[in-house]
Amino acid sequence: GDVIIKFDVRFTQPNVARCEMPTIHSLEHLFAEKSRNHSSQVIDFSPMGCQTGFYLILQGDHSFDDVAALVETTLTDILGATEVPAANEVQCGWGSNHTLTGAQAAARDFLAKRAEYADKYKAA
């Protein structure tokens, strides 16, 4: 069978800061849709309960640089988004709990720290 790898994508320092739920919720919707434009190997992008980041689950074996590039490209796409996908009562369990501007601010902050990604990376 194929390899499946889970990456922790942290937007804040655990036990120091967290993202608000509407921001997390919108990032989840946006990243899930936009990342699939760049990779057919994205299985899931799910929020951590602690609100500090997400679990990115990919099919196949990927280098740190490949994953960092996918995250960077996807977050850059989010900066250009005009709406949160599926943010309505038909497609989402809490359609009113979204913030495009919050998701874009979190993406901008994450991208601004691009030079630090490798320093924070830890292989399991």
Side-chain angles (χ1 to χ4, degrees):
D2 208 349
V3 174
I4 295 176
I5 301 177
K6 179 173 83 171
F7 296 90
D8 291 4
V9 182
R10 297 275 183 174
F11 276 73
T12 65
Q13 177 67 44
N15 299 302
V16 174
R18 61 173 170 73
C19 294
E20 294 297 323
M21 272 313 299
T23 295
I24 289 274
H25 193 187
S26 294
L27 278 170
E28 175 191 14
H29 279 231
L30 284 156
F31 197 101
E33 177 169 293
K34 303 283 186 193
S35 63
R36 288 177 171 93
N37 294 332
H38 305 291
S39 174
S40 61
Q41 297 187 304
V42 175
I43 293 175
D44 193 34
F45 187 73
S46 54
M48 297 176 176
C50 58
Q51 296 173 234
T52 64
F54 299 83
Y55 300 111
L56 173 60
I57 302 174
L58 298 175
Q59 183 177 357
D61 200 5
H62 300 274
S63 72
F64 167 80
D65 289 337
D66 291 342
V67 176
L70 173 63
V71 170
E72 183 175 13
T73 304
T74 301
L75 293 179
T76 300
D77 287 354
I78 288 171
L79 295 181
T82 56
E83 66 179 0
V84 177
N88 59 68
E89 291 183 10
V90 173
Q91 295 173 285
C92 178
W94 195 2
S96 64
N97 188 43
H98 286 280
T99 170
L100 176 61
T101 55
Q104 289 172 329
R108 199 173 293 110
D109 290 347
F110 193 98
L111 287 166
K113 294 183 170 72
R114 176 65 179 97
E116 299 173 30
Y117 294 178
D119 295 340
K120 307 288 188 216
Y121 176 71
K122 294 185 186 93

